[in-house]
């Protein structure tokens, strides 16, 4: 039987690797990564990326297949991330006038699928 702390460590490593792959995918699309793993009261943002006036806040999910990763982002995940985005923008007021997009970066193996504009705030 696997030690629960060992399982957590593996999950943490897997999540970090998925975030690295997603960051690379955004860079290939011309984005600059501004922040990773931003934590605020009530939520977390996996990736913050910018290209021109567009700010992307991405939730990264790793699963066995891309569809499972896409469907793993729940209503609660979205609300918590939106709260974290408000905190992030309050800390970066010069970017508060940017266009904002919420993405899901679905990772399966080495494959990354970016679901651009996966939702709008409050959906």
């Amino acid at each position: 039987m696997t030690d629960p702390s060992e399982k957590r460590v593996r999950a943490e490593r897997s999540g970090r690797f998925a975030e690295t792959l997603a960051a690379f995918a955004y860079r290939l699309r011309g984005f600059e990564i501004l922040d990773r793993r931003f934590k605020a009261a009530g939520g977390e943002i996996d990736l913050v990326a910018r290209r021109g006036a567009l700010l992307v806040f991405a939730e990264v999910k790793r699963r066995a297949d891309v569809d499972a990763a896409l469907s793993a982002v729940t209503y609660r995940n979205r609300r918590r991330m939106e709260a974290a985005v408000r905190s992030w923008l309050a800390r970066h007021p010069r970017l508060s006038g940017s266009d904002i997009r919420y993405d899901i970066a679905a990772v399966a193996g080495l494959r990354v699928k970016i679901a651009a504009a996966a939702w709008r705030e409050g959906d």
Side-chain angles (χ1 to χ4, degrees), residues 35-40 43-46 48 84 87-88 91:
D35 212 342
R36 288 178 67 166
R37 298 190 140 216
F38 173 80
K39 290 181 179 21
E44 179 181 330
I45 305 166
D46 293 329
V48 181
S87 294
W88 193 91
R91 293 178 188 188

Side-chain angles (χ1 to χ4, degrees), residues 96-118:
S96 63
S98 301
D99 295 326
I100 293 174
R101 188 174 87 191
Y102 293 93
D103 289 2
I104 300 171
V107 179
L110 296 177
R111 183 171 177 230
V112 178
K113 179 177 180 180
I114 294 176

Side-chain angles (χ1 to χ4, degrees), residues 50-66:
R50 181 177 77 176
R51 185 174 63 198
L54 175 63
L55 276 179
V56 170
F57 297 94
E59 176 72 14
V60 179
K61 288 291 184 187
R62 182 176 191 154
R63 296 291 187 274
D65 65 77
V66 169

